[in-house]
């Protein structure tokens, strides 16, 4: 995947913590650490959004739809 360079500003304490992680070889370099952190945050936001959307569903209605589909499938399976 193509990469692009950006400039960011971090507070000194955060940068120190980041550099300690790199020194302990948990990351190859600062860029990898930041890339991993951003990827992780984006994934969490996506999961949170999915959870919020799922919470809007009517569980009784969804269960009825699933049961209806399953009943139809079982009927077709029994025909064979």
């Amino acid at each position: 995947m193509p990469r692009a360079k950006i400039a960011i500003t971090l507070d000194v304490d955060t940068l120190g913590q980041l550099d300690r992680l790199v020194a302990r070889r948990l990351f190859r370099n600062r860029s990898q650490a930041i890339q991993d952190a951003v990827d992780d945050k984006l994934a969490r936001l996506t999961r949170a959004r999915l959870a919020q959307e799922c919470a809007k569903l009517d569980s009784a209605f969804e269960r009825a739809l699933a049961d209806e589909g399953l009943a139809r499938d079982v009927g077709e399976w029994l025909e064979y």
Side-chain angles (χ1 to χ4, degrees):
M1 177 182 303
R3 296 187 178 267
K5 284 192 174 203
I6 62 168
I8 64 168
T9 303
L10 299 174
D11 65 62
V12 175
D13 291 335
T14 301
L15 185 57
Q17 291 176 19
L18 184 63
D19 285 342
R20 283 190 289 281
L21 294 174
V22 172
R24 290 174 41 204
R25 299 185 185 273
L26 292 168
F27 300 98
R28 286 189 313 269
N29 51 45
R30 289 174 173 173
S31 291
Q32 182 199 7
I34 294 167
Q35 176 74 53
D36 287 357
V38 170
D39 288 346
D40 183 59
K41 182 64 175 183
L42 292 173
R44 280 196 243 161
L45 288 170
T46 299
R47 286 191 303 270
R49 173 120 196 260
L50 179 60
Q52 289 170 348
E53 293 301 317
C54 287
K56 295 176 187 177
L57 297 174
D58 178 349
S59 61
F61 176 72
E62 295 297 322
R63 184 178 314 277
L65 277 178
D67 290 345
E68 177 183 315
L70 182 60
R72 191 172 340 145
D73 291 342
V74 168
E76 289 175 9
W77 296 334
L78 293 176
E79 291 176 8
Y80 290 105

